[in-house]
Amino acid sequence: MHVTERDRFSANGVTLRGDAYRTNTRVTFSSSGDVTGYFGAGVLEKVLLPDGRTFMGAGRVKVLAQPPGFIVAPDTGVAKNQGDFCATLSG
């Protein structure tokens, strides 16, 4: 399944809007219909920062193994300028 998404992040009076991105999603089920795996692969987030740099998370993530909330960095892959993304939202 392919998912196209665009996110907005707000904290401490700062709002960042992400670019639209596309992720491949795979969900696996047990014979009784329970979800046993949920994986995303591709671009997980892409946000232009105020200083002109881009925060981007891309790779593969095991969604069920993550804490609840947004996933912006992959288990395997790259999270480029993640510290700058967090610092910008810190105000």
Side-chain angles (χ1 to χ4, degrees):
M1 167 174 47
H2 300 284
V3 177
T4 301
E5 189 170 331
R6 185 175 187 171
D7 300 314
R8 180 175 58 185
F9 300 90
S10 295
N12 303 308
V14 177
T15 298
L16 298 174
R17 288 180 176 80
D19 294 341
Y21 61 91
R22 188 172 181 169
T23 302
N24 298 314
T25 303
R26 188 182 86 190
V27 181
T28 56
F29 300 90
S30 69
S31 60
S32 61
D34 296 321
V35 175
T36 58
Y38 180 12
F39 306 91
V43 175
L44 304 173
E45 195 61 63
K46 187 175 179 184
V47 179
L48 180 64
L49 301 174
D51 65 5
R53 288 184 280 179
T54 299
F55 163 69
M56 184 178 74
R60 185 170 189 267
V61 64
K62 296 177 185 176
V63 178
L64 294 178
Q66 300 294 320
F70 286 101
I71 302 169
V72 296
D75 295 322
T76 57
V78 66
K80 180 180 172 185
N81 297 323
Q82 185 174 2
D84 298 324
F85 172 76
C86 294
T88 300
L89 288 173
S90 294

Coordinates of all heavy atoms in Angstrom, one line a residue:
M1 N 0.8 -1.2 0.0 CA 0.0 0.0 0.0 C 0.9 1.2 0.0 O 1.9 1.3 0.7 CB -0.9 0.0 1.2 CG -1.6 1.2 1.5 SD -2.8 1.2 2.9 CE -1.9 0.4 4.2
H2 N 0.5 2.2 -0.8 CA 1.3 3.5 -0.8 C 0.4 4.6 -0.1 O -0.8 4.7 -0.3 CB 1.5 3.9 -2.2 CG 2.3 3.0 -3.0 ND1 3.6 2.8 -2.9 CD2 1.9 2.1 -4.0 CE1 4.1 1.9 -3.7 NE2 3.0 1.4 -4.4
V3 N 1.1 5.3 0.8 CA 0.5 6.4 1.5 C 1.1 7.7 1.2 O 2.4 7.8 1.2 CB 0.6 6.1 3.0 CG1 0.0 7.2 3.8 CG2 0.0 4.8 3.4
T4 N 0.4 8.7 0.9 CA 0.9 10.1 0.6 C 0.4 10.9 1.8 O -0.8 10.9 2.1 CB 0.4 10.6 -0.7 OG1 0.9 9.8 -1.7 CG2 1.0 12.0 -0.9
E5 N 1.3 11.7 2.4 CA 1.0 12.4 3.6 C 1.7 13.8 3.6 O 2.7 13.9 2.9 CB 1.4 11.6 4.8 CG 1.0 12.2 6.1 CD 1.3 11.2 7.2 OE1 1.3 9.9 7.0 OE2 1.5 11.6 8.4
R6 N 1.1 14.7 4.3 CA 1.8 16.0 4.5 C 1.5 16.4 6.0 O 0.3 16.4 6.4 CB 1.2 17.1 3.6 CG 1.9 18.4 3.7 CD 1.5 19.4 2.6 NE 2.3 20.5 2.7 CZ 2.3 21.5 1.8 NH1 1.4 21.4 0.8 NH2 3.0 22.5 2.0
D7 N 2.5 16.7 6.7 CA 2.4 17.0 8.2 C 2.7 18.4 8.5 O 3.4 19.1 7.8 CB 3.3 16.1 8.9 CG 3.0 14.6 8.7 OD1 1.9 14.2 8.7 OD2 4.0 13.9 8.5
R8 N 2.2 18.8 9.7 CA 2.5 20.1 10.3 C 2.8 19.9 11.7 O 2.2 19.2 12.4 CB 1.2 21.0 10.2 CG 1.5 22.4 10.7 CD 0.3 23.3 10.5 NE -0.8 22.8 11.2 CZ -2.1 23.3 11.1 NH1 -2.3 24.4 10.4 NH2 -3.1 22.7 11.7
F9 N 3.9 20.5 12.1 CA 4.4 20.4 13.5 C 4.4 21.8 14.2 O 4.9 22.8 13.6 CB 5.9 19.9 13.5 CG 6.0 18.5 12.9 CD1 6.2 18.4 11.5 CD2 5.8 17.4 13.7 CE1 6.4 17.2 11.0 CE2 6.0 16.1 13.1 CZ 6.2 16.0 11.7
S10 N 3.8 21.9 15.4 CA 3.8 23.1 16.1 C 4.2 22.9 17.6 O 3.8 22.0 18.2 CB 2.3 23.7 16.1 OG 1.9 24.0 14.8
A11 N 5.1 23.8 18.0 CA 5.5 23.8 19.4 C 6.1 25.1 19.8 O 6.8 25.7 18.9 CB 6.5 22.7 19.7
N12 N 5.9 25.6 20.9 CA 6.5 26.9 21.4 C 6.4 28.1 20.5 O 7.3 28.8 20.3 CB 8.0 26.6 21.7 CG 8.2 25.5 22.7 OD1 7.6 25.5 23.8 ND2 9.0 24.5 22.3
G13 N 5.2 28.2 19.9 CA 4.9 29.3 19.0 C 5.6 29.1 17.6 O 5.5 30.1 16.8
V14 N 6.1 28.0 17.3 CA 6.8 27.8 16.0 C 6.0 26.7 15.2 O 5.6 25.7 15.8 CB 8.2 27.3 16.2 CG1 8.8 26.9 14.8 CG2 9.0 28.3 16.9
T15 N 5.7 26.9 14.0 CA 5.0 25.9 13.1 C 5.9 25.6 11.9 O 6.4 26.5 11.2 CB 3.6 26.5 12.7 OG1 2.8 26.7 13.8 CG2 2.9 25.5 11.8
L16 N 6.0 24.3 11.7 CA 6.8 23.8 10.5 C 5.8 23.0 9.7 O 5.1 22.1 10.2 CB 8.0 23.0 10.9 CG 9.1 23.7 11.7 CD1 10.1 22.7 12.2 CD2 9.7 24.8 10.9
R17 N 5.8 23.2 8.4 CA 4.9 22.4 7.5 C 5.8 21.6 6.6 O 6.7 22.1 6.0 CB 4.1 23.3 6.6 CG 3.0 24.0 7.4 CD 2.1 24.9 6.6 NE 1.0 25.5 7.3 CZ 1.1 26.5 8.2 NH1 2.2 27.1 8.4 NH2 0.0 26.9 8.8
G18 N 5.5 20.3 6.6 CA 6.3 19.4 5.8 C 5.8 19.4 4.3 O 4.7 19.8 4.0
D19 N 6.7 18.9 3.4 CA 6.3 18.7 2.1 C 5.5 17.4 2.0 O 5.7 16.5 2.8 CB 7.6 18.5 1.2 CG 8.4 19.8 1.1 OD1 7.9 20.9 1.4 OD2 9.6 19.7 0.7
A20 N 4.7 17.3 1.0 CA 4.0 16.0 0.7 C 5.1 14.9 0.4 O 6.1 15.2 -0.3 CB 3.0 16.1 -0.4
Y21 N 4.9 13.8 0.9 CA 5.8 12.6 0.7 C 5.0 11.3 0.6 O 3.9 11.3 1.0 CB 6.9 12.6 1.8 CG 6.3 12.3 3.2 CD1 6.1 11.0 3.7 CD2 5.9 13.4 4.0 CE1 5.5 10.8 4.9 CE2 5.3 13.2 5.2 CZ 5.1 11.9 5.7 OH 4.6 11.7 6.9
R22 N 5.7 10.4 0.0 CA 5.0 9.1 -0.2 C 5.8 8.0 0.5 O 7.0 7.9 0.3 CB 4.9 8.8 -1.7 CG 4.1 7.6 -2.0 CD 3.9 7.5 -3.5 NE 3.1 6.4 -3.8 CZ 2.5 6.1 -5.0 NH1 2.7 7.0 -6.0 NH2 1.8 5.1 -5.2
T23 N 5.1 7.1 1.2 CA 5.7 6.0 1.9 C 5.0 4.7 1.5 O 3.8 4.7 1.3 CB 5.5 6.2 3.4 OG1 6.1 7.5 3.8 CG2 6.2 5.1 4.2
N24 N 5.8 3.7 1.4 CA 5.2 2.3 1.2 C 5.0 1.7 2.5 O 5.9 1.7 3.4 CB 6.2 1.5 0.4 CG 6.5 2.1 -1.0 OD1 5.6 2.5 -1.7 ND2 7.8 2.1 -1.4
T25 N 3.8 1.2 2.7 CA 3.4 0.6 4.0 C 3.0 -0.9 3.8 O 2.4 -1.2 2.8 CB 2.2 1.3 4.6 OG1 2.5 2.7 4.7 CG2 1.8 0.8 5.9
R26 N 3.5 -1.7 4.7 CA 3.2 -3.1 4.7 C 2.6 -3.5 6.0 O 3.3 -3.3 7.1 CB 4.4 -4.0 4.3 CG 4.0 -5.4 4.1 CD 5.2 -6.3 3.7 NE 5.7 -6.7 5.0 CZ 6.9 -7.2 5.2 NH1 7.7 -7.5 4.2 NH2 7.3 -7.6 6.4
V27 N 1.5 -4.2 6.1 CA 0.9 -4.7 7.3 C 0.7 -6.2 7.2 O 0.3 -6.7 6.1 CB -0.5 -4.0 7.6 CG1 -1.1 -4.6 8.9 CG2 -0.4 -2.5 7.6
T28 N 1.2 -6.9 8.2 CA 1.0 -8.4 8.2 C 0.0 -8.8 9.3 O -0.1 -8.1 10.3 CB 2.3 -9.1 8.4 OG1 3.0 -8.7 9.6 CG2 3.3 -8.8 7.2
F29 N -0.6 -9.9 9.1 CA -1.7 -10.4 10.0 C -1.5 -11.8 10.4 O -0.9 -12.6 9.6 CB -3.1 -10.3 9.4 CG -3.4 -8.8 9.0 CD1 -3.1 -8.4 7.7 CD2 -4.1 -8.0 9.9 CE1 -3.5 -7.1 7.4 CE2 -4.4 -6.7 9.5 CZ -4.1 -6.2 8.3
S30 N -1.9 -12.2 11.6 CA -1.9 -13.6 12.0 C -3.1 -14.3 11.3 O -4.0 -13.7 10.8 CB -2.0 -13.7 13.5 OG -3.2 -13.3 14.0
S31 N -3.2 -15.6 11.5 CA -4.3 -16.4 10.9 C -5.6 -16.0 11.6 O -6.7 -16.2 11.0 CB -4.1 -17.9 11.1 OG -3.9 -18.2 12.4
S32 N -5.6 -15.4 12.8 CA -6.8 -15.0 13.4 C -7.1 -13.5 13.1 O -8.1 -13.0 13.7 CB -6.7 -15.2 15.0 OG -5.6 -14.4 15.5
G33 N -6.3 -12.9 12.3 CA -6.6 -11.5 11.9 C -6.0 -10.4 12.7 O -6.2 -9.2 12.5
D34 N -5.1 -10.8 13.7 CA -4.4 -9.8 14.5 C -3.2 -9.2 13.7 O -2.6 -9.9 13.0 CB -3.9 -10.4 15.8 CG -5.0 -10.9 16.7 OD1 -6.0 -10.2 16.8 OD2 -4.9 -11.9 17.3
V35 N -3.0 -7.9 13.9 CA -1.8 -7.3 13.2 C -0.6 -7.8 13.9 O -0.4 -7.7 15.1 CB -1.9 -5.8 13.3 CG1 -0.7 -5.1 12.7 CG2 -3.1 -5.2 12.6
T36 N 0.3 -8.4 13.1 CA 1.6 -8.9 13.6 C 2.8 -8.0 13.2 O 3.9 -8.1 13.8 CB 1.8 -10.3 13.2 OG1 1.8 -10.4 11.8 CG2 0.8 -11.2 13.8
G37 N 2.6 -7.3 12.2 CA 3.7 -6.4 11.7 C 3.2 -5.2 11.0 O 2.1 -5.3 10.3
Y38 N 3.8 -4.1 11.1 CA 3.4 -2.8 10.4 C 4.7 -2.1 10.1 O 5.4 -1.6 11.0 CB 2.5 -2.1 11.4 CG 2.0 -0.7 10.8 CD1 2.1 -0.4 9.5 CD2 1.3 0.1 11.7 CE1 1.6 0.8 9.1 CE2 0.8 1.4 11.3 CZ 1.0 1.7 9.9 OH 0.5 2.9 9.5
F39 N 5.0 -2.0 8.9 CA 6.3 -1.4 8.4 C 6.1 -0.3 7.5 O 5.2 -0.4 6.6 CB 7.2 -2.5 7.8 CG 7.4 -3.7 8.6 CD1 6.5 -4.8 8.5 CD2 8.5 -3.8 9.5 CE1 6.7 -5.9 9.3 CE2 8.6 -4.9 10.2 CZ 7.8 -6.0 10.1
G40 N 6.9 0.7 7.6 CA 6.9 1.8 6.6 C 8.2 1.9 6.0 O 9.3 1.7 6.7
A41 N 8.3 2.2 4.7 CA 9.6 2.4 4.0 C 9.5 3.5 3.0 O 8.4 3.7 2.3 CB 10.0 1.1 3.3
G42 N 10.5 4.3 2.9 CA 10.6 5.5 2.0 C 10.8 6.7 2.8 O 11.5 6.7 3.8
V43 N 10.3 7.8 2.3 CA 10.5 9.1 3.0 C 9.4 9.1 4.1 O 8.3 8.9 3.9 CB 10.2 10.3 2.1 CG1 10.3 11.6 2.8 CG2 11.3 10.3 1.0
L44 N 9.9 9.3 5.4 CA 9.0 9.4 6.5 C 8.7 10.8 6.9 O 7.7 11.0 7.6 CB 9.7 8.7 7.7 CG 10.2 7.2 7.5 CD1 11.0 6.7 8.6 CD2 9.0 6.3 7.2
E45 N 9.5 11.7 6.5 CA 9.2 13.2 6.8 C 10.1 14.0 6.0 O 11.3 13.6 5.8 CB 9.3 13.5 8.2 CG 8.7 14.8 8.6 CD 7.2 14.9 8.4 OE1 6.5 14.1 9.0 OE2 6.8 15.7 7.5
K46 N 9.7 15.2 5.5 CA 10.5 16.1 4.8 C 10.0 17.5 5.1 O 8.9 17.8 4.8 CB 10.5 15.8 3.3 CG 11.5 16.7 2.5 CD 11.5 16.3 1.0 CE 12.4 17.1 0.2 NZ 12.4 16.8 -1.2
V47 N 10.8 18.3 5.8 CA 10.4 19.6 6.2 C 11.5 20.7 5.9 O 12.7 20.5 6.3 CB 10.2 19.7 7.8 CG1 9.8 21.0 8.2 CG2 9.1 18.6 8.1
L48 N 11.1 21.7 5.2 CA 12.1 22.8 5.0 C 12.1 23.7 6.2 O 11.1 24.1 6.7 CB 11.6 23.7 3.8 CG 12.5 24.9 3.4 CD1 13.9 24.4 3.0 CD2 11.9 25.7 2.4
L49 N 13.3 23.9 6.7 CA 13.6 24.6 8.0 C 13.7 26.1 7.6 O 14.1 26.4 6.5 CB 14.8 24.1 8.7 CG 14.7 22.6 9.1 CD1 16.0 22.1 9.7 CD2 13.5 22.4 10.1
P50 N 13.5 27.0 8.6 CA 13.6 28.4 8.3 C 14.9 28.9 7.8 O 15.0 29.9 7.1 CB 13.3 29.1 9.7 CG 12.5 28.1 10.4 CD 13.0 26.8 9.9
D51 N 16.0 28.2 8.2 CA 17.4 28.6 7.7 C 17.7 28.1 6.3 O 18.8 28.2 5.8 CB 18.4 28.2 8.7 CG 18.6 26.7 8.9 OD1 17.9 25.9 8.1 OD2 19.3 26.2 9.8
G52 N 16.7 27.4 5.7 CA 17.0 26.9 4.3 C 17.4 25.4 4.2 O 17.4 24.9 3.2
R53 N 17.8 24.9 5.4 CA 18.1 23.4 5.3 C 16.9 22.6 5.3 O 15.8 23.1 5.6 CB 19.0 23.1 6.5 CG 20.4 23.7 6.4 CD 21.3 23.2 7.5 NE 21.0 24.1 8.6 CZ 21.5 24.0 9.8 NH1 22.4 23.1 10.1 NH2 21.2 24.9 10.8
T54 N 17.0 21.3 5.1 CA 15.9 20.4 5.0 C 16.1 19.3 6.0 O 17.1 18.7 6.1 CB 15.7 19.8 3.6 OG1 15.5 20.8 2.7 CG2 14.5 18.8 3.6
F55 N 15.0 19.1 6.9 CA 15.0 17.9 7.7 C 14.4 16.8 6.9 O 13.3 17.1 6.3 CB 14.3 18.2 9.0 CG 13.9 16.9 9.7 CD1 14.9 16.1 10.2 CD2 12.6 16.4 9.7 CE1 14.5 14.8 10.8 CE2 12.2 15.2 10.3 CZ 13.2 14.4 10.8
M56 N 15.0 15.7 6.9 CA 14.4 14.5 6.2 C 14.7 13.3 6.9 O 15.8 13.0 7.3 CB 14.9 14.5 4.7 CG 14.2 13.4 4.0 SD 14.7 13.2 2.2 CE 16.3 12.5 2.4
G57 N 13.7 12.5 7.1 CA 13.8 11.1 7.6 C 13.4 10.2 6.5 O 12.4 10.3 5.9
A58 N 14.3 9.2 6.1 CA 14.0 8.3 5.1 C 14.7 6.9 5.4 O 15.8 6.9 6.0 CB 14.5 8.8 3.7
G59 N 14.0 5.9 5.1 CA 14.5 4.5 5.4 C 13.3 3.6 5.7 O 12.2 3.7 5.1
R60 N 13.5 2.7 6.7 CA 12.5 1.7 7.0 C 12.3 1.8 8.5 O 13.2 2.0 9.3 CB 13.0 0.3 6.7 CG 12.0 -0.8 6.9 CD 12.5 -2.1 6.3 NE 11.5 -3.1 6.3 CZ 11.3 -4.0 7.3 NH1 12.1 -4.0 8.3 NH2 10.4 -4.9 7.2
V61 N 11.0 1.7 8.9 CA 10.7 1.7 10.3 C 9.7 0.6 10.7 O 8.8 0.3 9.9 CB 10.1 3.1 10.7 CG1 8.8 3.4 10.0 CG2 10.0 3.3 12.2
K62 N 9.9 0.0 11.8 CA 8.9 -1.0 12.4 C 7.9 -0.2 13.2 O 8.3 0.2 14.4 CB 9.6 -2.0 13.2 CG 10.6 -2.9 12.4 CD 11.3 -3.9 13.4 CE 12.3 -4.6 12.6 NZ 13.1 -5.5 13.5
V63 N 6.8 0.2 12.7 CA 5.9 1.1 13.4 C 5.4 0.5 14.7 O 5.3 1.3 15.7 CB 4.7 1.4 12.4 CG1 3.7 2.3 13.1 CG2 5.2 2.0 11.1
L64 N 5.1 -0.7 14.8 CA 4.6 -1.3 16.1 C 5.6 -1.3 17.2 O 5.3 -1.3 18.4 CB 4.1 -2.7 15.9 CG 2.9 -2.9 15.0 CD1 2.5 -4.4 14.8 CD2 1.7 -2.1 15.5
A65 N 6.9 -1.2 16.9 CA 7.9 -1.2 17.9 C 8.2 0.2 18.4 O 9.0 0.4 19.3 CB 9.2 -1.8 17.3
Q66 N 7.6 1.2 17.8 CA 7.8 2.6 18.2 C 6.9 3.1 19.3 O 5.7 2.6 19.3 CB 7.7 3.5 17.0 CG 8.6 3.2 15.8 CD 10.0 3.5 16.2 OE1 10.3 4.5 16.9 NE2 11.0 2.6 15.8
P67 N 7.3 4.0 20.1 CA 6.3 4.6 21.1 C 5.2 5.4 20.3 O 5.4 5.7 19.1 CB 7.1 5.6 21.9 CG 8.4 5.8 21.1 CD 8.6 4.6 20.2
P68 N 4.0 5.6 20.9 CA 3.0 6.3 20.2 C 3.4 7.7 19.8 O 4.2 8.3 20.5 CB 1.8 6.4 21.2 CG 2.2 5.3 22.3 CD 3.7 5.2 22.2
G69 N 2.9 8.2 18.7 CA 3.2 9.5 18.2 C 3.7 9.5 16.8 O 3.7 8.5 16.2
F70 N 4.2 10.6 16.4 CA 4.8 10.7 15.0 C 6.1 10.1 15.0 O 6.9 10.2 15.9 CB 4.9 12.2 14.6 CG 3.6 12.8 14.3 CD1 3.0 13.7 15.2 CD2 3.0 12.6 13.0 CE1 1.8 14.3 14.8 CE2 1.8 13.2 12.7 CZ 1.2 14.0 13.6
I71 N 6.4 9.4 13.9 CA 7.7 8.8 13.6 C 8.4 9.6 12.5 O 7.9 9.6 11.4 CB 7.5 7.3 13.2 CG1 6.8 6.5 14.3 CG2 8.9 6.7 12.9 CD1 6.3 5.2 13.8
V72 N 9.5 10.2 12.8 CA 10.1 11.1 11.9 C 11.5 10.6 11.5 O 12.2 11.1 10.6 CB 10.2 12.6 12.3 CG1 8.8 13.2 12.4 CG2 11.0 12.7 13.6
A73 N 12.0 9.6 12.2 CA 13.3 9.0 12.0 C 13.2 7.5 11.8 O 12.5 6.8 12.6 CB 14.3 9.3 13.1
P74 N 13.9 6.9 10.9 CA 13.7 5.5 10.6 C 14.6 4.6 11.6 O 15.5 5.1 12.2 CB 14.3 5.3 9.2 CG 15.3 6.4 9.1 CD 14.7 7.6 9.9
D75 N 14.2 3.3 11.6 CA 15.1 2.4 12.3 C 16.4 2.1 11.6 O 17.5 2.1 12.1 CB 14.4 1.0 12.5 CG 13.1 1.1 13.4 OD1 13.2 1.9 14.4 OD2 12.1 0.5 13.1
T76 N 16.2 2.0 10.2 CA 17.4 1.9 9.4 C 17.2 3.0 8.3 O 16.2 3.1 7.7 CB 17.6 0.5 8.7 OG1 16.4 0.2 8.0 CG2 17.8 -0.5 9.8
G77 N 18.3 3.7 8.0 CA 18.2 4.8 7.0 C 18.9 6.0 7.5 O 19.9 5.9 8.2
V78 N 18.3 7.2 7.3 CA 18.9 8.5 7.7 C 17.9 9.4 8.2 O 16.8 9.5 7.7 CB 19.7 9.1 6.5 CG1 18.8 9.5 5.3 CG2 20.5 10.2 6.9
A79 N 18.3 10.2 9.1 CA 17.5 11.4 9.6 C 18.4 12.6 9.5 O 19.3 12.8 10.4 CB 17.0 11.2 11.1
K80 N 18.3 13.3 8.4 CA 19.2 14.4 8.1 C 18.7 15.7 8.8 O 17.5 16.1 8.6 CB 19.2 14.6 6.6 CG 20.1 15.7 6.1 CD 20.0 15.7 4.6 CE 20.7 16.9 4.0 NZ 20.6 17.1 2.6
N81 N 19.6 16.3 9.5 CA 19.3 17.6 10.2 C 18.2 17.5 11.3 O 17.4 18.4 11.5 CB 18.9 18.7 9.2 CG 20.1 19.1 8.3 OD1 21.2 19.1 8.7 ND2 19.8 19.3 7.0
Q82 N 18.1 16.3 11.9 CA 17.1 16.1 13.0 C 17.3 17.0 14.2 O 16.3 17.6 14.7 CB 17.0 14.7 13.4 CG 15.9 14.4 14.4 CD 15.8 12.9 14.8 OE1 16.6 12.1 14.3 NE2 14.9 12.5 15.6
G83 N 18.5 17.3 14.5 CA 18.8 18.2 15.6 C 18.3 19.6 15.3 O 17.8 20.3 16.2
D84 N 18.5 20.0 14.1 CA 18.0 21.4 13.7 C 16.5 21.4 13.7 O 15.9 22.5 14.1 CB 18.6 21.7 12.3 CG 20.1 21.8 12.3 OD1 20.7 22.2 13.3 OD2 20.6 21.3 11.3
F85 N 15.9 20.4 13.3 CA 14.4 20.3 13.3 C 13.9 20.5 14.8 O 13.0 21.3 15.1 CB 14.0 19.0 12.7 CG 12.5 18.6 12.9 CD1 11.6 19.2 12.1 CD2 12.1 17.7 13.8 CE1 10.2 18.9 12.2 CE2 10.8 17.3 13.9 CZ 9.8 17.9 13.1
C86 N 14.5 19.7 15.7 CA 14.1 19.8 17.1 C 14.4 21.1 17.7 O 13.6 21.7 18.5 CB 14.8 18.7 17.9 SG 14.3 17.0 17.4
A87 N 15.6 21.7 17.4 CA 16.0 23.0 17.9 C 15.0 24.1 17.4 O 14.7 25.0 18.2 CB 17.4 23.3 17.5
T88 N 14.6 24.0 16.2 CA 13.7 25.0 15.7 C 12.4 25.0 16.4 O 11.8 26.0 16.8 CB 13.4 24.8 14.2 OG1 14.7 24.8 13.5 CG2 12.5 25.8 13.6
L89 N 11.9 23.8 16.7 CA 10.6 23.6 17.4 C 10.7 24.0 18.9 O 9.7 24.2 19.6 CB 10.0 22.2 17.3 CG 9.5 21.9 15.9 CD1 9.1 20.4 15.8 CD2 8.3 22.8 15.6
S90 N 12.0 24.0 19.4 CA 12.2 24.4 20.8 C 12.0 25.9 21.0 O 11.9 26.3 22.2 CB 13.6 24.0 21.2 OG 13.7 22.6 21.2
G91 N 12.0 26.6 20.0 CA 11.7 28.1 20.1 C 12.9 28.9 20.2 O 13.8 29.2 20.5

